[in-house]
Amino acid sequence: MKALLGVWIAVLLGAAGWIGWDAYQGDRPSIGGPFSLIDQDGRTVTDASLKGKPTLIYFGYSFCPDVCPTSLLLMETAIEKLGPEAAKKVNLVFITVDPERDTPALMKGYVTNFGPTFEGLTGTPEQIAAVARAYRVYYQKVPSKDGGPYLMDHSSIVYLLDRNGRFVTHFTHEAKAEAIATAVERLL
Ligand code: NI
């Protein structure tokens, strides 16, 4: 009898899991949401400020030695493929996961290395934690072994939002610029 009960519980759990999966499949995953941050000129930027244009967002930090420069260059390269007119119709956003060091002034010097239209956003540690949570971004401070400046371990994802600020898809830093350009062009 006990064994039979176990079987029934397994069947019920299985059914519940299947229904849960089905519901997930029928909807977009919830990525993104409201935020309030400061750009490289000290202006407040919110999720509402980005509406009206498709947006590419990347989370990283300016001291990053490897994947952040690769990803930001990838975003700029993708947008350049769409031509100068299209580039004005897309938001390119870099959000720091290292607000301790990435001040607006520092962000200003950094993002201009990658393109003229980049917005480099920073905020309080709480504001950054909130936006990272909304986008399911992982980040963690890692002390350097040789006593040098710390590093930030972080996920490396380029998010694409439509002109209403809704999540459409994401890319890794290994994506092809053409693939990103094609996905953005569809939203223009
Ligand atoms: Ni990085």
Side-chain angles (χ1 to χ4, degrees), residues 73-150:
L73 200 61
L74 174 64
M75 289 160 71
E76 179 66 21
T77 306
I79 294 312
E80 282 175 6
K81 286 187 185 301
L82 298 174
E85 287 312 305
K88 290 176 197 155
K89 297 174 190 159
V90 180
N91 298 309
L92 293 180
V93 179
F94 175 58
I95 300 180
T96 185
V97 293
D98 185 15
E100 202 179 298
R101 289 185 295 197
D102 282 336
T103 60
L106 208 146
M107 292 292 264
K108 188 167 184 145
Y110 185 69
V111 292
T112 50
N113 292 321
F114 298 97
T117 63
F118 262 97
E119 292 180 75
L121 307 184
T122 187
T124 65
E126 292 75 20
Q127 287 172 319
I128 295 298
V131 69
R133 207 178 311 120
Y135 282 87
R136 304 183 190 185
V137 169
Y138 158 83
Y139 64 105
Q140 175 92 46
K141 193 187 271 193
V142 183
S144 86
K145 292 189 179 77
D146 56 10
Y150 63 84

Side-chain angles (χ1 to χ4, degrees), residues 58 61 64 67-68 154:
Y58 183 78
Y61 68 116
C64 181
V67 284
C68 289
H154 66 94

Side-chain angles (χ1 to χ4, degrees), residues 162-177:
D162 68 14
R163 58 180 72 242
N164 296 314
R166 295 207 310 170
F167 170 76
V168 175
T169 189
H170 70 273
F171 304 91
T172 72
H173 60 267
E174 288 167 333
K176 292 271 175 289

